[in-house]
Amino acid sequence: MPIFNFSLFTLFFLFAVACCGVMAIYFVQERLIFPAPNIAVEGFEDEIFERAAITTPDGEELFALHHPSEKEEATILVFHGNGDAAIFQKEKGAHLAEQGFGVLLVEYRGYPGSSGEPSETGLFIDGQAAYDFIINQKPQRVGLYAHSLGTGVAVNLATERDVFAVVLESPFDSLMAVAQDRMPWLPVSLLLKHKFRSDLRIQNVTAPILIMHGNRDGVVPIKHGKLLHDTASSKAIFEEIKNAGHNDLANFGTVEKAVKFFKHGLK
């Protein structure tokens, strides 16, 4: 009898610990999904980029670095990953500018230089506000270039606004699917508040899409990029980047591939 009582107590104890762990994950998921770096944004303007402020429809102010397009040029709107920042996209942005594009490096709400708190809905609003900022400068064509979490923002935006091309690096079919793979023991679909279901949206994107994914990506395994491609339209192209991981794609020429894709999309 004492052995049974001890076993029952142990079972209840382990169950309580598991429940506490699940609840902890639920309440801290914003910190896990949106780990915004704590950095200042002053002094990043230069001869290529000027600082811009974008006001969203719900009253947030977003920091951005803007390289205005010249006559007849298109603008590329760049969305970064979850632990990144707009200011760290300057090298990519400078290359796009050198190739004859206007560029907008926009920051999400709750990230460096921007007000508010990040959320899936909030980032979608930010993406639309950034696009509208470009169009309000002057009528022009807009392309989207996104990495990791930013691909969820880009795919949603491409269903809401007119874009001429979309380039996705290290994308997921859904954040929910990636999280479920990492934590198969959790009811992720019930706990996750920010699911980023790109797989349900990308089929409605009419613009040409280029998906590039490293076959050594340990953050978002390449299978998720392939699954996203499988649900996209026939205009989508998938390119496996050999030996590339999640954050080193630029070392394998992906920015140059993106430029070529954007230029082809403008023909």
Side-chain angles (χ1 to χ4, degrees):
M1 191 68 171
I3 294 178
F4 174 78
N5 286 340
F6 176 78
S7 299
L8 191 60
F9 172 79
T10 302
L11 179 63
F12 279 123
F13 175 77
L14 293 176
F15 178 75
V17 169
C19 288
C20 289
V22 168
M23 294 304 294
I25 291 173
Y26 178 81
F27 286 112
V28 304
Q29 63 180 275
E30 279 77 16
R31 297 181 189 177
L32 300 175
I33 298 171
F34 310 109
N38 183 20
I39 51 177
V41 296
E42 286 72 24
F44 282 90
E45 307 91 332
D46 55 25
E47 66 279 2
I48 299 177
F49 292 101
E50 61 187 33
R51 181 169 180 152
I54 301 172
T55 302
T56 68
D58 59 342
E60 302 298 348
E61 184 170 293
L62 309 180
F63 166 81
L65 291 174
H66 187 211
H67 174 73
S69 59
E70 300 291 341
K71 185 178 180 180
E72 304 300 326
E73 286 183 347
T75 288
I76 307 303
L77 175 52
V78 179
F79 296 115
H80 63 74
N82 71 331
D84 213 338
I87 58 176
F88 297 144
Q89 312 309 306
K90 283 187 65 178
E91 184 175 352
K92 177 185 288 184
H95 188 80
L96 291 167
E98 290 167 2
Q99 293 299 313
F101 295 101
V103 182
L104 183 66
L105 310 176
V106 66
E107 194 54 277
Y108 310 129
R109 64 185 61 202
Y111 276 70
S114 296
S115 66
E117 296 293 332
S119 67
E120 179 180 13
T121 299
L123 266 61
F124 289 170
I125 294 172
D126 297 344
Q128 294 171 17
Y131 179 98
D132 294 343
F133 171 85
I134 295 170
I135 296 299
N136 288 337
Q137 304 298 305
K138 59 186 173 184
Q140 58 190 294
R141 303 181 74 182
V142 178
L144 308 180
Y145 193 175
H147 175 252
S148 195
L149 183 74
T151 66
V153 181
V155 169
N156 180 76
L157 179 59
T159 68
E160 300 288 340
R161 299 290 191 273
D162 181 26
V163 300
F164 74 88
V166 181
V167 175
L168 307 175
E169 292 182 341
S170 308
F172 45 71
D173 46 342
S174 73
L175 191 60
M176 181 178 68
V178 176
Q180 190 66 75
D181 276 358
R182 288 183 173 274
M183 297 175 287
W185 45 276
L186 274 180
V188 170
S189 63
L190 299 178
L191 295 172
L192 194 64
K193 291 182 278 186
H194 314 281
K195 296 180 172 63
F196 285 93
R197 294 295 305 269
S198 293
D199 55 337
L200 300 182
R201 299 184 175 97
I202 199 167
Q203 57 193 311
N204 297 319
V205 176
T206 58
I209 302 169
L210 171 62
I211 296 175
M212 296 183 284
H213 213 125
N215 65 345
R216 292 188 177 180
D217 192 329
V219 178
V220 180
I222 193 171
K223 74 171 187 177
H224 292 285
K226 290 180 175 179
L227 286 169
L228 183 65
H229 172 260
D230 291 345
T231 62
S233 73
S234 59
K235 293 182 179 180
I237 300 170
F238 185 88
E239 185 165 346
E240 180 176 330
I241 309 300
K242 299 291 186 182
N243 300 315
H246 188 71
N247 294 312
D248 61 349
L249 289 169
N251 297 335
F252 296 84
T254 54
V255 180
E256 291 76 13
K257 293 176 187 292
V259 166
K260 183 178 179 180
F261 188 75
F262 285 133
K263 289 185 174 181
H264 184 268
L266 289 171
K267 291 180 179 179

